[in-house]
Amino acid sequence: MRAYNFCAGPAALPTAVLEKAQQELLDWQGKGVSIMEMSHRSKDYVAVAEKAEADLRKLMNIPENYKVLFLQGGATLQFSAIPLNLLGKNSQADYIHTGIWSEKAIKEAQRYGQINIVEAGTKVEGKLAISDASTWQLSEQAAYVHYCENETIGGLQFNQIPETKAPLVADLSSSILSAPIDVSKFGLIYAGAQKNIGPAGLTLVIVRDDLLDQVKPEIPSLLKYSAQAKNDSMVNTPATYAWYLSGLVFEWLLEQGGVDAIHKINQQKAALLYGYIDASDFYNNPIAPANRSLMNVPFTLADSNLDKLFLEEAEKNHLLNLAGHRSVGGMRASIYNAVPLEAVQALVQFMDDFAKRNG
Amino acid sequence: MRAYNFCAGPAALPTAVLEKAQQELLDWQGKGVSIMEMSHRSKDYVAVAEKAEADLRKLMNIPENYKVLFLQGGATLQFSAIPLNLLGKNSQADYIHTGIWSEKAIKEAQRYGQINIVEAGTKVEGKLAISDASTWQLSEQAAYVHYCENETIGGLQFNQIPETKAPLVADLSSSILSAPIDVSKFGLIYAGAQKNIGPAGLTLVIVRDDLLDQVKPEIPSLLKYSAQAKNDSMVNTPATYAWYLSGLVFEWLLEQGGVDAIHKINQQKAALLYGYIDASDFYNNPIAPANRSLMNVPFTLADSNLDKLFLEEAEKNHLLNLAGHRSVGGMRASIYNAVPLEAVQALVQFMDDFAKRNG
């Protein structure tokens, strides 16, 4: 049987998607070969790749003056690729600091330019929050402003798109496709696939056409957005199977009614879990309500000595991967698109039962 | 039914591997989740990753003073990573030029250092060949000597490992695991997975410990071999599913009797196909016998106007992907490890039948 999987990433995929992939794994649409055994330049594969892009454009309403790239290396390789592609001659950018992932992006960018770090972490009534963009000291010369829209480890999320003069660059790894977003407000959006898109090994970059020509000379050729855009993300062999699976996820999302529909379910899931935690004396979430993540819900138990028992019993109840990130401890439930409402209902029921027995 | 797939890459995978992957796609070993839905840092996944490495070490007899890295970005990203990691302060290296892939490596390396290009393409009795290493003008200051062991497009392969003073760096993308090779003669071996290893999206690097500390300052952090070695190729989320599938391929290879055993079959396959071509007046292979590729067999028809018909009829006979690379035309049969002897027998029979009808 399939368990409920709250892993932060590589994360749960829709069961229907895995079933379709399973069914055609050895023989894709009667062609006698697996989709992963096909040349990326074959007509059949190119059609699969193009449909995935078209479906994503539909789902996110991506304007025509944006390129969609299907790359490799994870968001971490983008931490290098972004400054190498976008910093330009001025070599200055603003980076908003809200947690562990934005910090990683900052550290890498500092190797390539002069980075103005804006500390945006704050507290509201003792809880972690993000300061209002109007209070940030942004620099005049910044080529772009970078932020991490949802801090996967901290469970801290922006509740609106910051208004900036310079193009906005956003790490949407753990929030992409979970809620509607206005792509036209961004210069560049990037996301590792392994949360809401598909399997690990694929990275999406959505970049506005006018930002493609600021490249630094030392950039590895494969990381040039302009080259990948010109070659439909096939400067070399892409991660064909991961791209195909992502296409199946996009089809599944369209069948669910698109991003608006999944967003409503995501809101139900989050309301149920946060609501239960807030009403409980046994569990605690450290984030101010206005900046709580829709996707990653960290929580602690009243007594951390019970953490091990909680995880063991959860696993016995087919509720998997609830341990918090190794850098922070505690618990974390990642409730991405592929995690159904029933999973969160089962989790809350288990949490309640556990609290009653151990509280 | 499964067709015979002669694709140069992404290439055929063993049917038994795909069947195992299919069987456990939704529920890996009773855990209730797919292997691609698991954290790369989970005990279960780490065991899968470590077993893949251990099996590869066994298959290739990799000495202990070599690190094995499971990376992303294909051989093309290594064209940048190799000079960025290995050129060091002298910024000089020798690159052996034998065809399209070695040329791509050269072009990228030239962006980072002073590259001494050794033209090693020659002709023997009118056929393409590789000149003897003793005739090469290698430089005294080279940090390493780079070559492409098997030119996938040209079908041109080295028949011995060149003797060099500087560490040898080899692109083994299309020949790795096809024949025994003495890893201890190399400083670094790299290979895109999508021919003899697994699906596209994974890249193997096997690097000797003493070469890990020559890194150039502008290198993207994720490309540093030393960092990946220290973190067991998990500086960030690796391509977990591709790594798992590669592990299944390594298990399959061990079951076949290892590299020695598959090499014998590969020799049979190649002897059959080249033997038929040589005996035929209708088909021609342009490579000198001593440098013919064991894996990629390019050939032309007596009349190139028949190419289209040949490909159409081959496809009807379930013999797929025989078109030569778009840059050279003609035909090419890639007969990697996963292509069984029966496939080559069927191909030769078809070729013979076609020649009789059209010759």
Side-chain angles (χ1 to χ4, degrees):
Chain A
M1 67 165 278
R2 295 265 295 162
Y4 291 133
N5 184 8
F6 299 95
C7 193
L13 288 163
T15 299
V17 163
L18 292 175
E19 280 168 350
K20 175 145 199 215
Q22 182 180 46
Q23 179 206 321
E24 58 192 19
L25 186 60
L26 273 90
D27 185 1
W28 183 81
Q29 305 204 351
K31 299 287 176 178
V33 298
S34 175
I35 188 87
M36 72 175 89
E37 298 174 302
M38 275 183 197
S39 169
H40 53 297
R41 305 203 189 276
S42 65
K43 265 187 209 165
D44 285 331
Y45 187 78
V46 167
V48 166
E50 285 177 352
K51 178 161 193 308
E53 181 181 333
D55 284 349
L56 181 70
R57 285 185 175 274
K58 207 180 296 175
L59 283 164
M60 294 184 70
N61 197 19
I62 300 172
E64 276 185 21
N65 61 326
Y66 286 74
K67 293 287 184 298
V68 177
L69 309 178
F70 292 80
L71 307 177
Q72 297 184 54
T76 301
L77 192 53
Q78 294 308 313
F79 295 165
S80 320
I82 286 163
L84 283 166
N85 274 283
L86 304 185
L87 269 180
K89 282 187 186 158
N90 257 333
S91 272
Q92 290 183 43
D94 293 321
Y95 272 67
I96 315 303
H97 183 211
T98 49
I100 290 172
W101 285 104
S102 51
E103 186 165 326
K104 288 188 188 217
I106 289 166
K107 284 203 171 138
E108 187 65 8
Q110 285 176 318
R111 302 182 56 232
Y112 298 106
Q114 192 186 322
I115 303 304
N116 171 39
I117 303 168
V118 178
E119 291 293 347
T122 184
K123 286 210 169 183
V124 172
E125 296 175 9
K127 297 229 169 193
L128 297 170
I130 297 171
S131 64
D132 195 90
S134 63
T135 67
W136 300 347
Q137 298 280 333
L138 299 177
S139 50
E140 280 299 311
Q141 302 298 320
Y144 59 89
V145 180
H146 176 280
Y147 78 115
C148 176
E149 204 271 329
N150 179 57
E151 287 280 0
T152 321
I153 294 171
L156 190 71
Q157 186 165 18
F158 280 74
N159 53 30
Q160 57 184 3
I161 301 173
E163 295 285 342
T164 58
K165 270 202 328 204
L168 206 51
V169 172
D171 180 353
L172 256 63
S173 291
S174 50
S175 57
I176 194 166
L177 294 168
S178 67
I181 196 160
D182 182 352
V183 174
S184 75
K185 296 209 165 176
F186 296 87
L188 185 147
I189 286 169
Y190 66 108
Q194 66 271 17
K195 285 100 160 57
N196 265 337
I197 297 170
L202 189 78
T203 317
L204 268 185
V205 171
I206 303 167
V207 56
R208 212 173 60 208
D209 286 342
D210 61 294
L211 297 176
L212 292 176
D213 297 314
Q214 311 286 321
V215 180
K216 282 195 178 284
E218 66 264 38
I219 189 172
S221 296
L222 196 65
L223 302 191
K224 281 185 198 168
Y225 298 140
S226 55
Q228 292 286 15
K230 206 172 135 192
N231 289 278
D232 299 323
S233 307
M234 294 190 187
V235 167
N236 69 336
T237 314
T240 54
Y241 194 64
W243 190 336
Y244 151 83
L245 277 173
S246 301
L248 294 187
V249 171
F250 301 154
E251 279 178 12
W252 174 82
L253 256 181
L254 286 168
E255 282 162 19
Q256 307 308 302
V259 175
D260 281 327
I262 207 82
H263 182 220
K264 288 205 180 78
I265 300 170
N266 287 335
Q267 285 176 314
Q268 279 183 280
K269 283 149 52 182
L272 176 60
L273 184 50
Y274 284 115
Y276 172 73
I277 292 170
D278 285 345
S280 153
D281 292 332
F282 188 79
Y283 300 103
N284 183 56
N285 168 275
I287 311 296
N291 289 116
R292 283 173 169 176
S293 168
L294 189 66
M295 293 284 104
N296 310 98
V297 184
F299 60 91
T300 51
L301 278 56
D303 177 359
S304 64
N305 289 321
L306 291 168
D307 285 3
K308 196 162 163 275
L309 183 67
F310 180 90
L311 290 169
E312 282 169 7
E313 290 192 9
E315 197 169 322
K316 276 183 199 144
N317 285 274
H318 309 290
L319 304 163
L320 305 188
N321 302 312
L322 287 160
H325 189 266
R326 62 210 155 98
S327 65
V328 294
M331 303 298 150
R332 175 177 48 169
S334 292
I335 49 177
Y336 297 119
N337 287 349
V339 176
L341 179 60
E342 299 79 59
V344 180
Q345 289 166 335
L347 172 62
V348 165
Q349 195 178 338
F350 165 75
M351 286 169 71
D352 193 45
D353 179 62
F354 186 89
K356 279 179 182 143
R357 286 185 287 107
N358 297 283
Chain B
M1 67 164 280
R2 296 265 294 160
Y4 291 132
N5 183 7
F6 299 95
C7 193
L13 287 162
T15 299
V17 163
L18 292 174
E19 280 169 349
K20 177 149 198 210
Q22 182 180 45
Q23 179 205 321
E24 59 193 19
L25 186 60
L26 272 90
D27 185 1
W28 183 82
Q29 304 204 351
K31 299 286 175 178
V33 297
S34 176
I35 189 84
M36 71 175 89
E37 299 174 303
M38 275 184 196
S39 169
H40 52 297
R41 305 202 188 276
S42 66
K43 265 187 208 164
D44 284 331
Y45 187 79
V46 168
V48 166
E50 286 177 350
K51 178 160 192 311
E53 180 182 333
D55 284 349
L56 181 71
R57 284 184 174 275
K58 208 180 295 175
L59 284 164
M60 293 185 68
N61 197 20
I62 300 172
E64 276 186 21
N65 62 325
Y66 286 74
K67 293 287 185 297
V68 177
L69 308 178
F70 292 80
L71 307 177
Q72 296 184 57
T76 301
L77 192 53
Q78 294 308 311
F79 295 165
S80 321
I82 286 164
L84 284 165
N85 273 283
L86 304 185
L87 269 181
K89 282 187 187 156
N90 258 333
S91 273
Q92 291 183 43
D94 292 321
Y95 272 67
I96 315 303
H97 184 212
T98 49
I100 290 172
W101 285 104
S102 50
E103 185 164 327
K104 288 190 188 216
I106 289 166
K107 283 202 173 141
E108 186 66 9
Q110 285 176 319
R111 301 182 56 231
Y112 298 108
Q114 192 186 322
I115 303 305
N116 172 39
I117 303 168
V118 178
E119 292 292 347
T122 183
K123 286 210 170 184
V124 171
E125 297 175 6
K127 296 230 169 193
L128 296 169
I130 297 172
S131 64
D132 196 89
S134 63
T135 68
W136 299 348
Q137 298 280 335
L138 299 177
S139 52
E140 280 298 311
Q141 303 297 321
Y144 59 89
V145 180
H146 177 280
Y147 78 115
C148 176
E149 204 270 327
N150 179 58
E151 287 280 0
T152 321
I153 294 172
L156 190 71
Q157 185 165 19
F158 281 75
N159 53 29
Q160 58 184 3
I161 301 173
E163 295 286 342
T164 58
K165 268 200 335 200
L168 205 52
V169 172
D171 180 352
L172 255 64
S173 290
S174 51
S175 58
I176 194 165
L177 293 168
S178 67
I181 197 161
D182 182 353
V183 174
S184 74
K185 294 208 166 174
F186 295 87
L188 185 148
I189 286 168
Y190 67 108
Q194 65 271 17
K195 285 105 161 51
N196 264 337
I197 296 170
L202 189 79
T203 317
L204 267 185
V205 171
I206 303 168
V207 56
R208 212 171 62 207
D209 286 342
D210 61 295
L211 297 176
L212 292 175
D213 297 315
Q214 312 286 321
V215 181
K216 283 194 177 284
E218 66 265 37
I219 189 171
S221 296
L222 195 65
L223 302 191
K224 282 185 197 168
Y225 298 140
S226 55
Q228 291 288 15
K230 205 172 137 190
N231 290 279
D232 299 322
S233 308
M234 293 189 187
V235 166
N236 70 335
T237 313
T240 54
Y241 194 65
W243 190 336
Y244 150 84
L245 277 174
S246 301
L248 294 187
V249 171
F250 300 154
E251 279 177 11
W252 173 83
L253 257 182
L254 286 168
E255 284 162 18
Q256 307 308 302
V259 175
D260 281 326
I262 207 82
H263 182 221
K264 287 204 182 77
I265 300 169
N266 287 334
Q267 285 175 313
Q268 280 182 278
K269 284 150 52 183
L272 176 60
L273 185 50
Y274 285 115
Y276 173 73
I277 292 171
D278 285 346
S280 153
D281 291 332
F282 188 80
Y283 301 102
N284 182 57
N285 169 275
I287 311 296
N291 289 118
R292 282 174 168 174
S293 168
L294 189 65
M295 294 283 102
N296 309 98
V297 184
F299 59 92
T300 51
L301 276 56
D303 177 0
S304 64
N305 290 321
L306 292 167
D307 285 4
K308 196 161 163 273
L309 183 68
F310 180 90
L311 291 168
E312 282 169 9
E313 289 192 9
E315 197 170 321
K316 276 182 199 147
N317 284 275
H318 309 291
L319 303 165
L320 306 187
N321 302 313
L322 286 162
H325 189 266
R326 62 209 153 100
S327 64
V328 293
M331 303 297 149
R332 175 177 48 171
S334 293
I335 49 177
Y336 298 120
N337 288 348
V339 176
L341 180 59
E342 300 78 59
V344 180
Q345 289 166 336
L347 173 61
V348 166
Q349 196 177 336
F350 165 75
M351 287 169 70
D352 193 45
D353 179 62
F354 186 88
K356 280 181 182 140
R357 285 185 287 107
N358 298 282

